[in-house]
Amino acid sequence: MYRSDELLKARITEQLYEKKIRPEERPAFHLTPRVGWMNDPNGFSWYQGEYHMFYQYNPYDTQWGPMHWGHAVTKDLIRWENRPCALAPDTFPDREAGCFSGDAAELPDGRHLLMYTGCRREKHLDGTICDVQTQNLAIGDGVDYQKYPGNPVLSELDLPEGASRIDFRDPKIWRESDGSWRCVVANRAEDETGQLLLFTSLDAFHWSYLSKLAVNHGRFGRMWECPDYFVLDGKSVILMSPQDMEPDSLGFHAGNNVLCMIGHLDEEDENGCFREEFVHPVDDGIDFYATQTVLSPDGRRILTGWMQSWDTVPYRVDNAKWFGQVSLPRELTIRDGRLIQRPVRELEQYRTDKAERRNVAVDDSRVFADPALSGRIADLIFEIRPEEDCREVEIRFAEGGSHYCSVTYRSQDQTLTIDRSHSGVIRDVLHSRTAKVSAADGSLKLRMILDRYSAEIFVNDGETVMSMTHYADPEAAGISVRARGEAAVDITRYLLNI
């Protein structure tokens, strides 16, 4: 199979430089780039007995740069194995700016199909330069991929009137029960806000415009990115990542979000056939963006995302050899009009060293800290029962010396705050975020998944999720509980041996 000079250079670079990164310098079970920079996960798919994950990748620097597709595989969604770089910016549609986000699927003949956005730079007679985005294909065997000679398969010639050729990206592809194919692509509409365009194909190679799937009309941020569409528990679901949102009463924060729409399709309406019934954030934490889902062989819909945010990219370790990580995969269901997210059940097989404490009493003068319940790579369950006078219960983790990260529950206003301000940070960017939580009787259940450089908090069995990265001293593994007012707490801790 032909491999361009650009692809060979990337593969040689990652082979040479990944050897300089010791395993303990990485997370234990969150996927990171082999070297350099990672952003959006791409092409999350099941192929030839493994889950494949691709990702936006710059192997030459820990900053965003010319976009390649990195590649890794896993059999259990926990332990990842690197594969060689899959795509490099080496053809006309993508040479100047790169191979942007997209998806993957298995063709009927057993080949692995990648669909990605190519970005090229166009210079006009007046000297101005703009990026033009098109959708392109590559076909391979799970290791090597050849770009389709008919690229691009979707360009400005396929767009409806008023659709931007500059912001036209991130295809999500799937096959319908009748054997035909669909893909949804993010686009900027005439009103300068996002819309999702639906395309159809009989063979996955020749595409035509079908309709608008969803239209923003200026409600949720500006441009929409990384769309996903699937059916779950009898409902149609759209996930996408709006840019430049203002905070609102639905719980969205300022900046970049991930939005979930639950509803149904009205295929008779060409002006946006998706009918929303419920809309809410997917993750209320600091670091989460650009989701992808896959349907597992046993029928579970599994989600993952870039556990980072464009708003917090300056928060990093100086001289690190990698940047960016993918969230722990999550199983999805729908309950009472809300997307429920739980850590994939495969994580539980790595639990070890269980420790429990029941009815731990904490108040203004009693702090609970037991070295037997410490852990930096751990799966923790807290059940918090505040008394009527309790103003807040704070859980500290990655604690060592004067440094720690925290999760604080305030039962009187039913909020949960995650905070890394005291983890040894030296960058003045966003370090805390607060979300509303549901606690009818005041009690709250938290499941906290800790890795070396992150925390993902699942509230009330996945009703709300809050994710964040942190770079506390890797040796800091203390866990403590304290309160203002009286509370009782049940604690279960498992170490994760991965």
Side-chain angles (χ1 to χ4, degrees):
M1 180 176 284
Y2 171 76
R3 301 180 182 91
S4 69
D5 290 344
E6 291 87 350
L7 184 61
L8 288 172
K9 180 184 174 184
R11 289 185 169 190
I12 291 169
T13 297
E14 62 188 7
Q15 286 179 342
L16 289 174
Y17 287 93
E18 73 175 346
K19 298 174 183 177
K20 300 182 179 182
I21 306 174
R22 294 176 290 119
E24 56 269 26
E25 294 180 286
R26 296 183 183 271
F29 56 95
H30 287 80
L31 177 63
T32 56
R34 293 181 72 173
V35 295
W37 163 279
M38 165 199 281
N39 58 284
D40 308 357
N42 298 154
F44 192 18
S45 54
W46 175 261
Y47 179 69
Q48 293 188 348
E50 297 176 306
Y51 294 96
H52 288 249
M53 178 74 76
F54 304 85
Y55 51 88
Q56 294 288 273
Y57 182 39
N58 179 8
Y60 306 113
D61 197 348
T62 56
Q63 305 287 340
W64 191 94
M67 285 292 96
H68 298 60
W69 272 34
H71 188 190
V73 297
T74 179
K75 293 185 183 300
D76 67 359
L77 298 163
I78 304 299
R79 287 182 169 174
W80 294 92
E81 174 189 338
N82 287 316
R83 291 272 171 92
C85 179
L87 298 178
D90 55 12
T91 58
F92 174 74
D94 53 50
R95 180 172 289 128
E96 290 99 342
C99 303
F100 285 11
S101 292
D103 197 25
E106 183 173 354
L107 292 168
D109 63 8
R111 294 179 296 168
H112 204 200
L113 178 74
L114 310 185
M115 191 173 194
Y116 71 96
T117 296
C119 191
R120 63 181 174 84
R121 297 217 160 97
E122 185 178 87
K123 187 171 184 178
H124 299 162
L125 292 176
D126 62 2
T128 60
I129 296 174
C130 70
D131 289 349
V132 177
Q133 298 179 345
T134 58
Q135 312 317 312
N136 302 269
L137 302 177
I139 305 96
D141 59 3
V143 177
D144 292 306
Y145 295 85
Q146 191 75 42
K147 291 181 180 176
Y148 178 53
N151 284 338
V153 296
L154 283 172
S155 71
E156 60 192 280
L157 301 177
D158 302 289
L159 291 172
E161 184 177 354
S164 170
R165 69 191 188 115
I166 295 171
D167 289 313
F168 174 46
R169 57 183 175 269
D170 310 339
K172 170 69 179 186
I173 187 172
W174 70 92
R175 197 175 186 202
E176 295 283 358
S177 58
D178 64 1
S180 65
W181 294 82
R182 300 286 187 275
C183 77
V184 60
V185 188
N187 182 252
R188 177 166 49 84
E190 287 181 292
D191 67 356
E192 300 297 315
T193 65
Q195 62 183 356
L196 304 182
L197 305 181
L198 194 59
F199 297 85
T200 184
S201 173
L202 294 177
D203 61 2
F205 290 87
H206 302 89
W207 292 88
S208 59
Y209 173 70
L210 183 62
S211 65
K212 294 179 180 179
L213 178 63
V215 180
N216 189 6
H217 296 308
R219 297 168 301 154
F220 304 115
R222 300 180 65 184
M223 179 60 187
W224 288 354
E225 295 192 304
C226 304
D228 200 343
Y229 170 80
F230 51 89
V231 176
L232 180 66
D233 296 338
K235 290 291 186 180
S236 294
V237 180
I238 289 175
L239 304 179
M240 46 78 174
S241 298
Q243 297 178 316
D244 303 326
M245 287 191 70
E246 293 184 8
D248 65 15
S249 60
L250 292 175
F252 294 103
H253 54 257
N256 301 298
N257 285 258
V258 180
L259 178 151
C260 173
M261 293 179 174
I262 299 173
H264 64 278
L265 294 186
D266 178 3
E267 297 186 3
E268 300 299 318
D269 188 348
E270 295 182 355
N271 295 314
C273 61
F274 187 85
R275 292 286 167 264
E276 305 156 21
E277 298 169 18
F278 305 95
V279 180
H280 62 81
V282 173
D283 192 297
D284 290 288
I286 300 170
D287 295 303
F288 195 77
Y289 194 70
T291 54
Q292 284 246 316
T293 71
V294 65
L295 189 64
S296 70
D298 59 6
R300 291 173 291 160
R301 178 62 59 173
I302 298 173
L303 172 143
T304 192
W306 184 39
M307 198 159 57
Q308 191 60 59
S309 168
W310 293 112
D311 300 315
T312 60
V313 162
Y315 173 56
R316 57 174 64 220
V317 175
D318 292 337
N319 303 315
K321 303 177 183 69
W322 62 269
F323 180 81
Q325 52 189 304
V326 176
S327 71
L328 175 68
R330 306 169 183 179
E331 298 180 17
L332 303 182
T333 56
I334 293 175
R335 186 176 70 223
D336 298 329
R338 190 165 185 86
L339 193 70
I340 304 301
Q341 306 170 69
R342 296 185 178 93
V344 287
R345 64 196 66 175
E346 286 85 349
L347 183 67
E348 295 173 17
Q349 67 183 314
Y350 294 102
R351 286 173 165 177
T352 185
D353 295 323
K354 180 180 180 180
E356 292 183 285
R357 300 292 183 272
R358 292 288 178 263
N359 288 311
V360 173
V362 288
D363 56 29
D364 299 84
S365 61
R366 288 181 292 182
V367 174
F368 174 81
D370 185 344
L373 267 72
S374 62
R376 183 62 174 261
I377 303 169
D379 186 346
L380 300 131
I381 300 169
F382 295 86
E383 296 193 24
I384 303 170
R385 298 181 297 278
E387 297 293 339
E388 189 173 343
D389 72 330
C390 186
R391 295 176 296 285
E392 66 180 37
V393 177
E394 180 188 17
I395 300 166
R396 295 184 180 182
F397 59 94
E399 190 171 21
S402 61
H403 293 157
Y404 60 90
C405 299
S406 67
V407 178
T408 302
Y409 171 48
R410 297 177 179 88
S411 59
Q412 294 175 354
D413 57 5
Q414 296 196 347
T415 60
L416 193 71
T417 300
I418 58 174
D419 194 325
R420 62 187 179 201
S421 303
H422 300 280
S423 62
V425 300
I426 57 173
R427 298 286 182 266
D428 186 19
V429 298
L430 179 70
H431 290 308
S432 68
R433 181 155 278 143
T434 298
K436 294 290 288 185
V437 294
S438 174
D441 62 354
S443 61
L444 195 73
K445 181 179 180 181
L446 303 180
R447 184 175 176 191
M448 296 172 51
I449 308 298
L450 307 183
D451 203 345
R452 287 192 181 98
Y453 302 108
S454 66
E456 292 166 90
I457 294 92
F458 297 81
V459 184
N460 291 338
D461 296 316
E463 287 181 356
T464 301
V465 187
M466 303 183 76
S467 301
M468 73 172 183
T469 61
H470 67 85
Y471 300 103
D473 182 346
E475 300 301 316
I479 295 168
S480 64
V481 184
R482 60 202 67 215
R484 294 177 62 202
E486 296 182 359
V489 184
D490 294 342
I491 307 168
T492 304
R493 187 228 57 189
Y494 301 91
L495 297 180
L496 294 170
N497 183 16
I498 298 170

